[in-house]
Amino acid sequence: MNGHFVKRYGVPLVLLALFLVFVVWLNQVEKVPLVSREGQTFEKGVVTEIIQDNIQPGGTRVGEQVVRVRMTSGELKGEEIVTTSSSGFLFGAPCVEGMRVVIMQSLAGDTVVSSVYSQDREFQVLAFAAIYLIILCIVGGWQGIKSSLSLVFTFASIIWVYLPMVYRGGSPFWSAVAVCAVTTVVSMWLLGGATMKTLVATAGTVAGVVLSGSFASAFSFATGVTGWNVSDIESLMTLWNTSGIQVGGLLFSGLLISSLGAMMDVGMSIASSMTEICAQSPGISRRELFQSGMRVGRDMMGTNSNTLILAFAGSSVSMLVLDYAYDLPWLQIINSNNIGIAIMEGLSGSFGVVLSVPATVALATVLYTLPQKNKPAAEAPAIQAE
């Protein structure tokens, strides 16, 4: 039993240990302060009284609320302070008694300057994330548990691998490719084990991601739409000047990460379908297997392409509604940077999905029909997938 465990999990555990060492080293980074936050903290509190409200007869809010808050964290924990809330759409909160809020405060001796930053949503956010993972595990069983581990690993890789790599001055594009490759290998291994199916699905996913990035680069070269045309470029320029971050590549790296899920879906679905075809028809020829795989892939192209285009279009709905309301001319709309970026993201992701289909099918066709050692090709099983 121990020998079997070491044989099956020994290499993955060693690789995981090396990966963790790399992550710890990667996060040993000194961040350049962009703004002075000396003495400023964010603490939790509960609204106990609305001293002065700012709601108008029509239901709108103008100005600030004055509220009393009992602090539940920080140096003033247990004390009550009187502070203000802007009740705006981006900052502050329309406070009511009993609401849990986050207080932005600055302490200087006995002087306290504070305001309500936002409603405290930490518990709700974590609770909904936990509920999702629990339901995923219940519905999916053992596969659901492995899917949860895969999701957690992917999220952690973005936070503790991709971000510090970019902050250290690495290429955002190739950092994203590396993170996508690592998360794909781990996710596919968790879901499919160390099998030929996993290898095919992983290779097809990485191929789709690279092809998507290549199309985005070509689109950028042809249209002049780059990562320097994003709406928050002024803030990003500060990072470029202070930390040397390659902000121009952030747009393309974000596109790769956004499309990774669809690529993984295509890769695993095709690899799994072709595995089943080989299992049911061991003597199938390469030509027939390729044609069967393409038929499966074509059915997936439309739905996954729509998924990506609709996802990027959905993230741009506010902008599209404003354009429609202002009745902007066609030439202005089609040549605006924001529309160009949205089009590039939707088309590039879909381009990667479409081309990952023949790439995955071709690789599966070759690997699944390799004859086993010491057996004639005609007698060899088409695949030892699992």
Side-chain angles (χ1 to χ4, degrees):
M1 181 66 179
N2 291 335
H4 174 72
F5 179 85
V6 171
K7 182 178 179 181
R8 183 169 184 178
Y9 296 106
V11 174
L13 288 176
V14 170
L15 292 176
L16 177 61
L18 294 174
F19 180 75
L20 291 176
V21 171
F22 170 73
V23 170
V24 171
W25 170 81
L26 190 63
N27 283 270
Q28 303 301 312
V29 58
E30 290 276 341
K31 293 183 180 179
V32 179
L34 300 179
V35 294
S36 176
R37 296 189 181 277
E38 186 175 356
Q40 184 186 81
T41 60
F42 289 82
E43 307 295 347
K44 296 182 178 183
V46 178
V47 177
T48 59
E49 181 185 356
I50 307 297
I51 298 175
Q52 178 182 323
D53 210 345
N54 64 342
I55 192 167
Q56 304 301 304
T60 59
R61 294 184 178 274
V62 178
E64 296 179 330
Q65 286 178 308
V66 180
V67 299
R68 190 183 305 277
V69 177
R70 185 181 75 255
M71 301 301 297
T72 57
S73 71
E75 295 185 23
L76 301 179
K77 182 179 180 179
E79 300 182 21
E80 290 195 345
I81 64 172
V82 176
T83 187
T84 60
S85 174
S86 64
S87 299
F89 293 108
L90 294 179
F91 302 102
C95 296
V96 296
E97 290 187 13
M99 176 182 284
R100 307 179 72 87
V101 293
V102 175
I103 300 296
M104 182 172 62
Q105 65 180 23
S106 297
L107 301 178
D110 296 330
T111 303
V112 179
V113 178
S114 64
S115 64
V116 175
Y117 176 74
S118 70
Q119 180 180 349
D120 182 10
R121 309 182 183 96
E122 180 183 20
F123 175 78
Q124 292 87 336
V125 171
L126 295 178
F128 272 94
I131 290 171
Y132 168 73
L133 292 177
I134 291 172
I135 292 177
L136 179 61
C137 293
I138 293 174
V139 175
W142 180 236
Q143 283 296 95
I145 294 173
K146 292 190 287 186
S147 297
S148 298
L149 292 174
S150 169
L151 180 61
V152 171
F153 180 84
T154 300
F155 180 77
S157 296
I158 293 173
I159 300 299
W160 286 297
V161 178
Y162 170 74
L163 294 182
M165 285 178 70
V166 172
Y167 191 85
R168 284 173 171 268
S171 165
F173 179 85
W174 290 112
S175 297
V177 170
V179 168
C180 287
V182 170
T183 55
T184 299
V185 170
V186 172
S187 298
M188 295 299 186
W189 179 80
L190 284 171
L191 296 174
T195 64
M196 189 73 76
K197 178 176 69 176
T198 299
L199 173 62
V200 171
T202 300
T205 300
V206 174
V209 168
V210 173
L211 288 169
S212 178
S214 300
F215 181 86
S217 299
F219 186 96
S220 173
F221 178 79
T223 63
V225 174
T226 70
W228 298 99
N229 302 129
V230 295
S231 56
D232 52 355
I233 187 60
E234 296 297 333
S235 299
L236 291 173
M237 285 294 291
T238 304
L239 291 178
W240 180 54
N241 290 324
T242 58
S243 306
I245 294 177
Q246 301 178 35
V247 299
L250 293 177
L251 174 65
F252 303 102
S253 63
L255 186 151
L256 299 186
I257 295 173
S258 298
S259 59
L260 177 61
M263 306 298 180
M264 291 176 66
D265 182 32
V266 170
M268 180 56 82
S269 297
I270 291 177
S272 184
S273 299
M274 295 182 69
T275 299
E276 188 63 25
I277 292 172
C278 289
Q280 297 301 320
S281 303
I284 191 171
S285 68
R286 285 188 173 181
R287 179 183 179 86
E288 291 172 333
L289 180 60
F290 181 83
Q291 291 174 341
S292 297
M294 286 302 298
R295 281 193 291 270
V296 172
R298 289 189 183 104
D299 289 337
M300 300 182 61
M301 283 182 187
T303 54
N304 279 279
S305 296
N306 284 341
T307 297
L308 284 174
I309 288 179
L310 291 175
F312 287 117
S315 64
S316 307
V317 162
S318 299
M319 175 183 62
L320 295 174
V321 169
L322 285 173
D323 290 345
Y324 179 82
Y326 280 107
D327 196 21
L328 300 181
W330 166 254
L331 280 178
Q332 181 178 357
I333 292 175
I334 196 63
N335 289 291
S336 69
N337 289 326
N338 289 335
I339 292 294
I341 289 173
I343 292 173
M344 181 187 70
E345 290 175 333
L347 289 180
S348 298
S350 298
F351 182 86
V353 166
V354 170
L355 289 188
S356 68
V357 169
T360 307
V361 171
L363 181 62
T365 300
V366 172
L367 295 181
Y368 285 9
T369 55
L370 286 176
Q372 286 192 348
K373 189 176 181 180
N374 299 327
K375 284 191 178 183
E379 300 176 3
I383 177 174
Q384 293 295 324
E386 296 177 283

